Amino acid sequence: MEAEHYEEVHRLWEHIDGFGLRSIDDSREGITRFLRRNPGLSVVAVAEEETPAPGGGAQSRRERVVGSVLCGEDGRRGCLYHVCVEKRYRREGIGAGMVERCMRSLREIGINKVSPIAFTCNDVGNTFWKSERWTKREDLNYYDFTLNEENITSFVREQD
């Protein structure tokens, strides 16, 4: 994933039910900063799609982002954020493939443990982690301290 993917990736995130998006961290500047701090670790999945030409001419093909993972590390542990695949592309191994790519990259730089982050209200995400045999930790508490009250989280709710 590169900063140039931001518009498409953010558009994808806005359509993932249960997703939590932060006003500052998930802004263009926030994501660009994250990618610079963790070069080469985050990934996108793209699908080639045909688009009809105006006036009924020949169709053209273009690539479109259909999945993403933000992957970072602190020198000790890797972390996966915003793991998602567009609804119509799920159950094709895309999510698992992106996660494996991130884990391989983390191993290559000496990171030995990785944790995904999923909000408890993100049913799709939590179902994915369980189906991939990840262990939900019951032996620790995760604490958080907000340094910037303007960094507000809003949750995406699927509209029918």
Side-chain angles (χ1 to χ4, degrees):
M1 179 176 178
E2 302 292 336
E4 296 79 40
H5 292 114
Y6 178 78
E7 292 299 327
E8 276 194 271
V9 168
H10 197 271
R11 196 169 16 260
L12 171 66
W13 294 342
E14 291 175 325
H15 292 92
I16 302 294
D17 190 42
F19 233 55
L21 293 171
R22 292 201 177 112
S23 57
I24 296 173
D25 292 342
D26 294 322
S27 68
R28 175 181 291 283
E29 296 76 23
I31 296 302
T32 299
R33 183 175 53 251
F34 182 87
L35 295 173
R36 255 189 269 129
R37 165 97 173 62
N38 299 282
L41 295 179
S42 297
V43 298
V44 293
V46 296
E48 193 171 283
E49 296 183 338
E50 292 184 1
T51 56
Q59 293 187 344
S60 62
R61 297 177 85 62
R62 75 173 193 96
E63 289 187 339
R64 191 171 65 78
V65 172
V66 298
S68 72
V69 179
L70 289 178
C71 178
E73 55 88 13
D74 62 9
R76 178 180 173 117
R77 179 182 298 255
C79 195
L80 305 177
Y81 307 90
H82 291 1
V83 177
C84 67
V85 175
E86 186 179 311
K87 192 173 190 173
R88 70 181 174 144
Y89 288 94
R90 291 182 189 153
R91 301 192 188 285
E92 295 180 17
I94 294 169
M98 290 188 304
V99 167
E100 178 54 37
R101 165 66 168 70
C102 290
M103 292 192 310
R104 192 170 47 250
S105 295
L106 290 167
R107 269 190 228 105
E108 288 171 2
I109 59 173
I111 301 298
N112 297 306
K113 193 155 190 154
V114 61
S115 299
I117 301 293
F119 284 102
T120 56
C121 65
N122 183 345
D123 294 334
V124 171
N126 288 299
T127 298
F128 170 77
W129 295 116
K130 289 175 189 172
S131 73
E132 293 293 308
R133 299 186 329 246
W134 285 68
T135 303
K136 181 180 178 189
R137 299 286 301 261
E138 304 289 346
D139 62 329
L140 56 82
N141 295 317
Y142 178 83
Y143 295 95
D144 206 81
F145 191 90
T146 300
L147 295 174
N148 185 341
E149 295 292 332
E150 294 176 14
N151 193 23
I152 298 167
T153 301
S154 60
F155 290 94
V156 176
R157 294 290 169 233
E158 189 173 35
Q159 289 106 27
D160 292 320

